[in-house]
Amino acid sequence: MFGRKVYPTVVLFLLPVFILYTLIFIVPVFQTAYMSFFSWNGIKSVPLEYVGWSNYTEMFHKPEFYRSLKNVGVFIAASFVLILPIGFSLALIITSKMRGRRFFKVAYFMPAILPLTSVGLMWQFLLKGEGGFVNKLLELFGLGVLQQDWLGQPAIAIYVVVVVNAWIYSGLNMIIFASGIVSISDEIYEAAALDGAVGWKKILYITVPLMKETFKIFSVLAVTQSLRVFGQIFVMTGGGPNGATDVPTTMLYNESFKYNNFGMGNSIGTFIIVTGFLLTILLNKLMSSKDGR
């Protein structure tokens, strides 16, 4: 396809990108893994103290670490129970011939482009225990008995944050699903219509099966994004109350910048990177094996 003289040109154009990617991603990853074997308080003049696997041993003996993993599991489950059906339904709406679909496309996508800090502060205000909009609304409709301190109760705080997370990212995944829908040829739909595949049958027997790759992309993104979720939790609850909404990333932040235990923080960071990498490989293999059947 390309002559031999073209390859040096291709390499020359790719080299700056490769160097930049290496400097801003690959090098920090290895540096994080390296620093996880040391004890350091973040002060430049203080020497590193080699501690081997002690940081990892301590991390795996922390009860709060397993609670944070459980919360990640809640985020992953919510991605498939809430974000997937909502995002897919919205994608069907904006790819239909319904009037006003351009308005809905912008409206649904808007939460995904707003700064997480602004979104978190907005929902924190709406969900306040006293004087919050949600509680005022419940009182207005005679449902005052349902009023809660939504972000202040350990039993429900994580689920409230998960719902807010679904509100933020459903629009983004709507675009992903919409790209999969529009890639399906109209000729396929026309042929299916002749065989009686219309309405929900068209979606169930044509659209969904032909979007396997799109659902694979969603699954990988859902798992990896859940593993590194941070901004909305940090702004809305700070990992509280009493660690009820902690996830590995908030633990990383607290260990590094609150307790000046950068060795432990790097250990948690390494765990997040390795786990995300392994889960991505596992998901791709599982879905590839299903496709091969």
Side-chain angles (χ1 to χ4, degrees):
M1 184 176 179
F2 295 108
R4 289 186 177 180
K5 293 182 179 180
V6 179
Y7 284 113
T9 306
V10 173
V11 172
L12 188 63
F13 276 102
L14 290 177
L15 190 60
V17 178
F18 176 75
I19 293 173
L20 186 63
Y21 180 79
T22 302
L23 290 175
I24 66 175
F25 182 75
I26 302 298
V27 171
V29 166
F30 282 100
Q31 190 174 25
T32 298
Y34 173 77
M35 291 292 292
S36 68
F37 294 102
F38 293 86
S39 176
W40 186 50
N41 62 4
I43 300 175
K44 190 175 182 180
S45 59
V46 177
L48 300 175
E49 179 186 351
Y50 179 75
V51 294
W53 295 93
S54 297
N55 287 324
Y56 290 96
T57 303
E58 184 181 348
M59 179 181 72
F60 286 117
H61 279 85
K62 285 177 176 285
E64 55 266 33
F65 176 71
Y66 293 98
R67 181 171 56 192
S68 73
L69 293 182
K70 178 184 175 182
N71 288 338
V72 167
V74 175
F75 272 92
I76 293 174
S79 296
F80 291 94
V81 174
L82 293 176
I83 297 178
L84 191 154
I86 294 173
F88 184 68
S89 300
L90 295 178
L92 291 173
I93 292 173
I94 67 170
T95 55
S96 67
K97 296 180 180 179
M98 185 183 70
R99 292 180 62 183
R101 61 184 181 276
R102 290 185 179 179
F103 166 78
F104 290 115
K105 185 186 296 185
V106 174
Y108 296 146
F109 187 67
M110 188 65 71
I113 62 176
L114 293 174
L116 277 178
T117 303
S118 301
V119 172
L121 290 173
M122 179 188 74
W123 278 102
Q124 189 183 54
F125 174 77
L126 294 175
L127 296 167
K128 281 173 61 177
E130 284 190 33
F133 177 77
V134 173
N135 281 341
K136 288 288 185 181
L137 198 63
L138 289 172
E139 186 179 356
L140 180 65
F141 286 98
L143 299 172
V145 68
L146 298 178
Q147 290 181 333
Q148 304 279 343
D149 183 3
W150 300 100
L151 298 175
Q153 293 194 37
I156 65 171
I158 186 63
Y159 303 106
V160 174
V161 175
V162 159
V163 171
V164 173
N165 185 71
W167 179 83
I168 295 171
Y169 289 111
S170 290
L172 177 63
N173 287 281
M174 169 193 73
I175 300 299
I176 295 174
F177 290 128
S179 66
I181 293 173
V182 298
S183 67
I184 302 173
S185 173
D186 289 336
E187 294 177 357
I188 297 175
Y189 285 125
E190 290 169 3
L194 294 175
D195 293 330
V198 294
W200 287 106
K201 287 184 179 180
K202 180 180 73 172
I203 297 170
L204 188 61
Y205 296 112
I206 305 298
T207 306
V208 172
L210 292 177
M211 288 181 61
K212 285 183 179 179
E213 287 301 315
T214 306
F215 287 117
K216 181 191 293 187
I217 292 170
F218 168 81
S219 299
V220 172
L221 289 176
V223 172
T224 54
Q225 291 286 352
S226 297
L227 191 61
R228 61 190 186 90
V229 64
F230 176 74
Q232 51 271 54
I233 295 177
F234 182 73
V235 175
M236 292 175 66
T237 66
N242 298 323
T245 59
D246 254 334
V247 288
T249 50
T250 56
M251 284 191 64
L252 183 158
Y253 178 88
N254 289 332
E255 290 289 345
S256 299
F257 302 106
K258 190 175 180 179
Y259 306 124
N260 293 326
N261 189 354
F262 282 85
M264 177 61 67
N266 281 293
S267 299
I268 298 172
T270 303
F271 172 84
I272 293 171
I273 294 168
V274 172
T275 304
F277 179 73
L278 294 176
L279 287 176
T280 300
I281 294 175
L282 179 63
L283 283 170
N284 278 307
K285 283 196 173 184
L286 285 175
M287 293 181 180
S288 297
S289 62
K290 287 182 179 179
D291 290 342
R293 287 179 182 176

